[in-house]
Amino acid sequence: MKKTVLLILSFLLFAIFLNAQTKINVVVIGAHPDDCDNDAGGTAILLAKAGHNVLFVSVTNGDAGHYEKGGGALAKIRRAEAQEAGKRFGVKYVVLDNHDGELMPTLDIRLNIIRAIRQWNADIVIGPRPNDYHPDHRNTAVLIQDAAYMVIVPNIAPDTPPLKKNPLFLYTEDGFQKPTPFQPDVAVDITTVFDQKIYAMSAHESQFFEWLPWTSGKLDQVPKTEADRLKWLAEWRSPGINDKVKESLTKWYGNEKASQAKYAEAFEICEYGGRPTDEEIKKLFPFFN
Ligand SMILES: [Zn+2]
C-alpha cells in the first residue's frame, strides 16, 4: 500500500516537473498601456490559452494620452484599463510609473527592464523596433535592445539572478521603411482569437474610443453601444495580410492553413537576443505544429 502511494506521488511530482519544463514564458514590452495589446495581443491569447505565461509591460503610465484628461488622474484611469485588458487577454499587465511622452532610455529604467525579464524567466521578449514616429516607442526599443544579452550578465542588477540563456528577442510589425523595412521572420495566425483580441483591446476606452479617434479627427464617428463599438474597432484595427507576412505564414503553417488565415501578427528576430533554429522556434510557438 505504502509503495503504491509513493509510486503515485513520484509520478505526480514528475508530471509537475515536466509541466514546469514545457511552459513558455513571454514578456511583451510596449511604451504605452495599449501597445502590447495592439502589436502582440492575439499571439498572447493563443499562448495563454495553451497554458503558457505571458506578461505585458507598459514602460510609461500613459499620462499624456488624452485631449482633456491628464497627469495622475489619467495615469490612474489607464492603469485600471490595462488591468481589465490583462484579464481579457489572460495575461498579467504591469504599468511602470514613467511619464508618457517624455521617456528616455536611462540606466535606471534599463535595469528595471532587465529585472522584469529575469523575474519572468523569459524565453521570448517582444517589443517595438527602434525606427518609429513616436519617441517613447523608439526609446522603449532602445531600452529592450540594451537589456538583451545583459539579462545573462550576473554583475548587472546583481540583486536579481541572471537568466541562464539569452531569450529570443522579437520586434513587432510596423510600416516604417527607413533605414530598413520590417521583416516578418515569424508570423502567427490569430484568426481564431481575433474577436477576443478586439474585446480585450476595447478595455482601453480612453484610447480607442476617445484619444485616438480625436487625434485622427473622427471622434464624432465613435459608435455609442458596446456591440457597435467592437465592430467599429475590429474594422479599424484589421489590416489585411500583406505578401511578405503571407509568405511567412506559409513557411510556418503550410500552404493550406496559411491561405485560410484572415488575421495575423508578425515578428522580426532581433540580432541581439538568442538566435534559435527553425526547429527551436517551432517549440517556442507550439501552435505552428
Ligand atoms: Zn504607443
Side-chain angles (χ1 to χ4, degrees), residues 48-254:
K49 271 189 197 292
H52 303 294
N53 306 311
V54 185
L55 171 69
F56 281 6
V57 177
S58 173
V59 185
T60 77
N61 60 17
D63 61 357
H66 209 274
Y67 53 95
E68 60 182 14
K69 301 165 189 166
L74 179 58
K76 206 173 156 190
I77 292 170
R78 299 202 61 183
R79 193 176 295 277
E81 288 174 343
Q83 291 318 306
E84 177 58 28
K87 275 187 218 153
R88 298 181 188 184
F89 278 109
V91 310
K92 183 178 177 192
Y93 210 133
V94 169
V95 177
L96 303 181
D97 208 16
N98 299 302
H99 287 303
D100 183 357
E102 299 178 359
L103 184 68
M104 296 300 289
T106 64
L107 183 58
D108 268 2
I109 303 177
R110 186 206 298 175
L111 292 175
N112 281 335
I113 287 176
I114 289 170
R115 290 186 183 102
I117 293 169
R118 286 176 177 174
Q119 282 159 358
W120 204 252
N121 196 17
D123 301 297
I124 306 174
V125 178
I126 302 176
R129 292 201 305 159
N131 329 309
D132 197 286
Y133 75 101
H134 199 302
D136 289 352
H137 297 173
R138 287 201 298 277
N139 287 332
T140 296
V142 170
L143 285 160
I144 300 169
Q145 286 181 346
D146 290 351
Y149 171 68
M150 286 301 170
V151 293
I152 66 165
V153 179
N155 280 326
I156 302 297
D159 56 0
T160 312
L163 293 182
K164 292 192 181 75
K165 208 174 131 204
N166 203 5
L168 166 64
F169 281 74
L170 295 172
Y171 295 124
T172 54
E173 187 172 6
D174 61 65
F176 299 100
Q177 301 296 305
K178 294 173 185 174
T180 51
F182 173 81
Q183 183 183 308
D185 297 314
V186 176
V188 178
D189 174 6
I190 61 156
T191 311
T192 57
V193 295
F194 181 73
D195 288 347
Q196 187 180 340
K197 176 182 176 178
I198 293 297
Y199 171 63
M201 281 169 64
S202 74
H204 300 279
E205 281 184 36
S206 71
Q207 301 304 294
F208 294 114
F209 307 124
E210 295 171 16
W211 170 236
L212 294 172
W214 184 86
T215 59
S216 46
K218 50 183 186 184
L219 194 56
D220 57 338
Q221 295 169 24
V222 178
K224 295 281 175 281
T225 70
E226 199 199 345
D228 288 346
R229 283 183 169 201
L230 290 176
K231 225 176 115 196
W232 185 75
L233 186 59
E235 276 164 23
W236 175 22
R237 294 281 150 167
S238 52
I241 296 174
N242 67 38
D243 290 348
K244 276 185 168 178
V245 173
K246 188 63 161 265
E247 214 175 281
S248 185
L249 282 171
T250 306
K251 172 181 173 179
W252 297 108
Y253 289 91

